């Protein structure tokens, strides 16, 4: 059975891809085991896609831009998968799901695959499944993966940590915006695109210069890449060819200097470490002796009767005994 699934997935069958993703997202222990076996078997077939992250405030035009860019790409013969990271998505099953209407052409496109955010769990859980789904999509032959995130909590940082290229969409009111930008967001950007330039091209250009100046002050992520700032219109499909050309230019430079491979290697190891921390945390909290003392010690620490370090020592001692 797993072999049949693997073969069907490698043949690019959408139903098989969907089944594999369901397996990866399942919390059942036997499903998780099967999912890990499948992922391990598929590893040699992963890694070939351009992995792109895209973020921006609600309403900035992420879905509209992905639709236009995605259709451009499938018309050029690429296979595009769109995944979402939305840790708040339990409310609606994922904003991207409602977005399927906004991505009507792309969702009807046989060379595109759109998957809403897994609806369960913490940011860590959601992004773990998104990473694994990304690998499945690559094995199924998708050669462009776009991960969209609304930027709740730390989700931009986590998405930036799973892609080759991180794109930040901005609105054309930079003057007011610059104050409100989440700390650290500009540092993550490989490119900034001021969207909705069709509304007021001059305002968009002013915003472009403001962001370019702001980026100029920051030390670039990599000495070979100064993040460009462009204007575009997702609705009008304007400027998106240039956006894609910059993504390809980035890829060519970062392939040649080895930075893309190094970034991926670092991401993989970082991911492994965070999985280990997750597992250890779970094992710790599930440990019977730890459980029997944890509540009591937490209360004592909260009340200032026991130093935090002493409580941690005791609990770790119980765990490791
Ligand atoms: N004029 C103009 N409107 C746009 C453009 N891009 C998006 N819009 C409109 O802005 C609204 C929000 O667009 P979405 O693509 O749904 O934005 P989003 O960033 O995906 O929003 P969330 O998923 O809610 O975070 C829609 O009404 C779009 O039609 C653009 O380039 N120009
Ligand atoms: Mg959207």
């Amino acid at each position: 059975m797993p072999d049949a699934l693997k073969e069907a997935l490698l043949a690019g069958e959408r139903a098989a891809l969907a089944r594999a993703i369901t397996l990866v997202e399942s919390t059942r222990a036997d499903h998780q085991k099967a999912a890990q076996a499948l992922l391990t078997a598929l590893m040699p077939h992963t890694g070939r896609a351009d992995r792109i992250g895209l973020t921006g405030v609600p309403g900035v035009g992420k879905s509209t831009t992905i639709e236009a860019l995605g259709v451009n790409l499938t018309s050029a013969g690429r296979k595009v998968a769109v995944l979402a990271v939305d840790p708040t998505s339990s409310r609606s099953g994922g904003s991207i799901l409602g977005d399927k209407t906004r991505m009507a052409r792309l969702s009807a496109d046989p060379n595109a695959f759109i998957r809403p955010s897994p609806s369960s769990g913490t940011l860590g859980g959601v992004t773990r499944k998104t990473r694994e789904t990304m690998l499945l999509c690559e094995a199924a032959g998708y050669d462009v993966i776009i991960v969209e995130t609304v930027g709740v909590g730390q989700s931009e940082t986590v998405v930036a940590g799973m892609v080759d290229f991180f794109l930040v969409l901005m609105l054309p009111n930079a003057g007011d915006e610059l104050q409100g930008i989440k700390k650290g967001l500009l540092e993550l950007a490989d490119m900034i695109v001021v969207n909705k330039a069709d509304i007021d091209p001059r305002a968009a250009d002013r915003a472009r210069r403001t962001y370019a100046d702001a980026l100029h002050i920051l030390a670039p992520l990599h000495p070979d890449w100064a993040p460009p700032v462009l204007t575009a219109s997702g609705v009008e499909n304007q400027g998106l060819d240039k956006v894609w050309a910059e993504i390809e230019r980035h890829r060519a430079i970062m392939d040649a200097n080895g930075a893309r491979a190094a970034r991926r290697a670092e991401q993989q190891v970082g991911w492994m470490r965070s999985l280990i921390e997750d597992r250890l945390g779970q094992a710790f909290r599930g440990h019977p002796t730890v459980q029997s003392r944890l509540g009591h010690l937490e209360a004592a620490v909260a009340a200032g009767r026991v130093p935090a370090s002493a409580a941690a020592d005791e609990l770790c001692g119980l765990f490791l005994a």
Side-chain angles (χ1 to χ4, degrees):
M1 179 57 185
D3 262 3
L5 183 58
K6 179 188 154 196
E7 293 311 320
L9 189 143
L10 286 174
E13 284 175 30
R14 299 172 75 94
L17 176 58
R19 267 216 322 282
I21 295 174
T22 306
L23 203 59
V24 156
E25 290 182 353
S26 168
T27 51
R28 265 176 54 179
D30 56 332
H31 288 171
Q32 273 308 303
K33 214 169 156 214
Q36 292 315 315
L38 180 65
L39 281 165
T40 304
L42 291 173
M43 276 315 273
H45 306 279
T46 64
R48 276 167 305 184
D50 288 311
R51 302 171 176 173
I52 295 149
L54 191 143
T55 195
V57 295
V60 68
K62 295 180 291 298
S63 304
T64 310
T65 300
I66 290 173
E67 156 99 343
L69 195 60
V71 170
N72 293 351
L73 287 166
T74 59
S75 309
R78 307 290 299 261
K79 284 187 77 180
V80 180
V82 181
L83 314 177
V85 168
D86 179 0
T88 64
S89 69
S90 46
R91 57 183 154 82
S92 63
S95 61
I96 206 171
L97 197 60
D99 281 353
K100 277 205 175 184
T101 50
R102 213 160 271 153
M103 294 196 266
R105 287 175 64 203
L106 202 58
S107 34
D109 192 323
N111 288 317
F113 182 83
I114 300 179
R115 185 77 183 185
S117 187
S119 57
S120 68
T122 58
L123 179 61
V126 167
T127 53
R128 170 178 164 202
K129 287 161 187 175
T130 303
R131 280 177 192 272
E132 293 180 344
T133 298
M134 177 160 82
L135 298 175
L136 294 174
C137 290
E138 288 182 346
Y142 290 87
D143 57 9
V144 179
I145 316 274
I146 303 177
V147 184
E148 175 186 345
T149 184
V150 281
V152 182
Q154 287 298 302
S155 67
E156 307 104 332
T157 311
V158 186
V159 170
M162 64 173 84
V163 295
D164 305 319
F165 192 94
F166 194 64
L167 169 54
V168 178
L169 280 191
M170 293 286 189
L171 290 166
N173 51 344
D176 340 326
E177 278 279 303
L178 212 47
Q179 326 287 334
I181 290 180
K182 266 168 97 174
K183 204 166 165 287
L185 182 60
L186 293 182
E187 281 96 332
L188 295 174
D190 293 301
M191 170 161 63
I192 291 177
V193 172
V194 178
N195 191 37
K196 307 201 182 186
D198 56 292
I199 297 173
D200 181 349
R202 288 179 58 198
D205 202 54
R206 272 200 306 278
R208 184 187 59 73
R209 283 199 304 272
T210 306
Y211 290 123
D213 289 345
L215 282 182
H216 207 73
I217 300 168
L218 297 171
L221 274 174
H222 195 281
D224 294 348
W225 183 256
V229 186
L230 305 180
T231 59
S233 165
V235 162
E236 307 276 336
N237 197 353
Q238 275 168 14
L240 295 179
D241 285 347
K242 179 83 192 307
V243 165
W244 187 254
E246 286 296 297
I247 292 174
E248 290 204 315
R249 189 168 70 86
H250 178 267
R251 182 184 169 141
I253 292 172
M254 298 315 222
D255 260 345
N257 66 12
R260 184 165 172 272
R263 180 163 167 172
R264 283 189 174 190
E266 208 175 292
Q267 289 172 347
Q268 291 298 111
V269 173
W271 182 22
M272 182 195 76
R273 288 186 184 149
S274 72
L275 287 175
I276 292 173
E277 277 170 29
D278 274 10
R279 300 275 159 83
L280 284 177
Q282 272 172 23
F284 181 81
R285 285 182 296 276
H287 190 280
T289 333
V290 168
Q291 258 180 2
S292 68
R293 284 290 285 157
L294 189 61
H296 171 78
L297 279 172
E298 274 180 358
V301 169
R305 286 193 307 274
V306 174
S309 53
D313 279 353
E314 180 183 338
L315 289 165
C316 289
L318 293 171
F319 179 64
L320 294 171

